[in-house]
Amino acid sequence: QVQLVESGGGLVQAGGSLRLSCAASASIVSFNVMGWYRQAPRKQRMLVATITSGGNTNYADSVKGRFTISRDNAKNTLFLLMNSLEPEDTAVYYCNLNTYIMNYWGQGTQVTVSS
């Protein structure tokens, strides 16, 4: 049983930056994939970025070049640095941990980008 708690969301203007954090209640050193997903109103939850325990990353085309996913295993924390934010990035952002045995989700943090 792992708890994931997102933080760092908020209201920013287009072109601005925001850094999301996801704190896990247990070690994330073991083999796994962590990721950020987002869900806008009336839309499905979509993948934003993932990072494996080995550091391999994958990004949605819509955020590639603007967002950077990273993890600090020693602090059991996942990050998402969002630059050049656009109104289309507005959504609830969810932290995900996939251990290949269990799939964990945080409660989400709201990101609103104004034009």
Side-chain angles (χ1 to χ4, degrees), residues 66-82:
R66 299 188 297 121
F67 291 10
T68 303
I69 189 171
S70 62
R71 59 195 288 165
D72 187 338
N73 291 339
K75 294 182 170 60
N76 299 330
T77 305
L78 177 73
F79 302 99
L80 184 68
L81 176 61
M82 304 182 293

Side-chain angles (χ1 to χ4, degrees), residues 13 16 34 43-44 47 58 61 69 73 76 79 102-103:
Q13 292 190 335
M34 298 193 74
K43 293 186 178 295
Q44 298 292 318
L47 181 146
N58 182 60
D61 289 340
I69 189 171
N73 291 339
N76 299 330
F79 302 99
M102 294 289 290
N103 202 35

Side-chain angles (χ1 to χ4, degrees), residues 13-29:
Q13 292 190 335
S17 298
L18 210 56
R19 188 195 193 215
L20 305 183
S21 298
C22 171
S25 64
S27 174
I28 60 171
V29 169

Side-chain angles (χ1 to χ4, degrees), residues 35-98:
W36 290 97
Y37 293 71
R38 67 187 184 187
Q39 186 168 18
R42 300 176 300 281
K43 293 186 178 295
Q44 298 292 318
R45 187 174 300 186
M46 303 292 289
L47 181 146
V48 175
T50 60
I51 182 168
T52 69
S53 50
N56 294 319
T57 59
N58 182 60
Y59 296 91
D61 289 340
S62 59
V63 307
K64 194 171 298 181
R66 299 188 297 121
F67 291 10
T68 303
I69 189 171
S70 62
R71 59 195 288 165
D72 187 338
N73 291 339
K75 294 182 170 60
N76 299 330
T77 305
L78 177 73
F79 302 99
L80 184 68
L81 176 61
M82 304 182 293
N83 293 322
S84 302
L85 282 163
E86 305 166 352
E88 293 73 24
D89 297 317
T90 295
V92 176
Y93 283 70
Y94 297 91
C95 177
N96 173 259
L97 168 63
N98 186 354

